Amino acid sequence: MALVEIQNVSKTFKTMMAGARGEVHALSGVSFSLERGEIVAITGASGCGKTTMLRIIMGLEQASGGSVVVNGRKVSACGYDRGMVFQHSELLPWRNAVQNVAFGLELKGMDKPTRVAEAQRYLDLVGLGHAAERLPHQLSGGMKQRVGIARALAIGPDVLLMDEPFGALDAQTREGLQNELLAIQAKTQQTIILVTHDLDEAVLLADRVVVMSRGRVAEMLDVRLPRPRPSLAALRGDPEFGDKRLRLWKLLKTEMDADARKAA
């Protein structure tokens, strides 16, 4: 059995337009799975259902149909078997870095000395051991995201969910954090589902890329790049990287052109 199984998931939102009730079908029959230690990226045009799918896997939204199973357990709400990293770090401003990382461990009932030691260990993992006492306003955007990653990893999730985690950062910081994530995953073999608009990022990080369109899986691409992977700059000349990146671009352009024709 796969570690994560998404089976025929649908999601319908009720709407009210011009006084009339209606429905928006955000997801329709989405199915894919992840093996332990695998990274899967989900990409697609805005509004295709990427983030809705991620929120259902996390348990922040309820599916209208189908199921999500993580390590043999059906998802019905949030749980410690899943950790989430958001586009913005969402750190508690009154807690320093180590206290933010320890927050989930505190909710799990871990005693203070043990949770502080664990939080420090994960700050070390993301290269921020020296910044344990800093408050969020004393951290750069990239440092905040690393604290967010450490916080999500500290609870020991079966799968790490990441919603555009580097999308709000400048290009140089984003590329640095992509390399950090590759290094962390190489050490921990963490299973990851990553939502991204960045095609380079999808091919760089993922073993497979799920391309979504209008709430459905349009295509799934295998990325046959060996691990450990080098930096994005080093991969740009690799034929496999270029082929998959071009394939993704063509798929998304086809979908966007179809949407433009429909709107016209």
Side-chain angles (χ1 to χ4, degrees):
M1 181 183 294
L3 178 67
V4 181
E5 296 187 44
I6 292 94
Q7 302 167 337
N8 201 33
V9 168
S10 62
K11 178 65 177 179
T12 301
F13 292 101
K14 303 294 184 182
T15 63
M16 181 71 74
M17 297 180 63
R21 295 183 182 274
E23 293 183 340
V24 173
H25 298 281
L27 297 171
S28 301
V30 175
S31 297
F32 61 93
S33 62
L34 283 84
E35 300 298 329
R36 191 175 296 276
E38 189 177 19
I39 302 178
V40 167
I42 305 175
T43 193
S46 296
C48 71
K50 302 183 300 296
T51 294
T52 299
M53 187 68 251
L54 203 70
R55 288 175 63 85
I56 288 172
I57 298 169
M58 184 62 196
L60 295 170
E61 298 271 2
Q62 293 295 310
S64 303
S67 65
V68 175
V69 177
V70 176
N71 203 13
R73 296 182 295 271
K74 187 174 180 179
V75 170
S76 58
C78 295
Y80 294 115
D81 56 347
R82 286 148 287 140
M84 191 155 183
V85 179
F86 299 90
Q87 182 173 1
H88 301 284
S89 58
E90 309 294 345
L91 301 182
L92 300 174
W94 59 90
R95 286 181 173 243
N96 63 27
V98 74
Q99 291 168 340
N100 265 287
V101 176
F103 183 63
L105 302 175
E106 184 179 342
L107 294 178
K108 291 179 78 173
M110 186 179 289
D111 64 87
K112 185 174 182 178
T114 305
R115 69 176 182 255
V116 170
E118 277 291 282
Q120 185 65 53
R121 183 166 73 88
Y122 280 96
L123 278 178
D124 291 340
L125 179 67
V126 300
L128 284 180
H130 65 284
E133 300 301 320
R134 295 188 195 178
L135 291 167
H137 76 270
Q138 298 170 313
L139 302 172
S140 68
M143 293 170 78
K144 289 177 184 177
Q145 282 303 87
R146 282 194 276 170
V147 173
I149 292 170
R151 179 179 58 187
L153 289 172
I155 62 172
D158 291 318
V159 58
L160 180 66
L161 309 175
M162 308 185 81
D163 188 11
E164 295 277 0
F166 313 136
L169 304 173
D170 63 84
Q172 185 175 0
T173 303
R174 181 168 63 246
E175 189 164 338
L177 283 178
Q178 289 166 351
N179 293 337
E180 290 265 2
L181 183 62
L182 285 171
I184 290 168
Q185 202 274 341
K187 290 177 184 176
T188 63
Q189 295 300 298
Q190 179 68 55
T191 307
I192 300 172
I193 303 176
L194 169 81
V195 164
T196 180
H197 280 99
D198 188 324
L199 303 187
D200 286 346
E201 182 171 88
V203 179
L204 169 68
L205 298 177
D207 299 295
R208 288 184 294 141
V209 182
V210 177
V211 182
M212 293 190 64
S213 173
R214 302 181 190 89
R216 298 179 180 273
V217 175
E219 192 156 338
M220 186 173 292
L221 301 181
D222 292 323
V223 180
R224 296 182 177 87
L225 291 168
R227 295 189 183 276
R229 291 181 183 171
S231 67
L232 180 59
L235 273 179
R236 287 194 188 278
D238 187 287
E240 171 71 1
F241 180 88
D243 176 69
K244 289 301 187 292
R245 206 258 183 220
L246 180 60
R247 176 63 180 155
L248 285 174
W249 182 84
K250 287 181 175 179
L251 282 168
L252 294 177
K253 185 176 186 303
T254 298
E255 295 301 328
M256 287 188 290
D257 288 349
D259 286 344
R261 288 193 297 271
K262 185 177 180 181

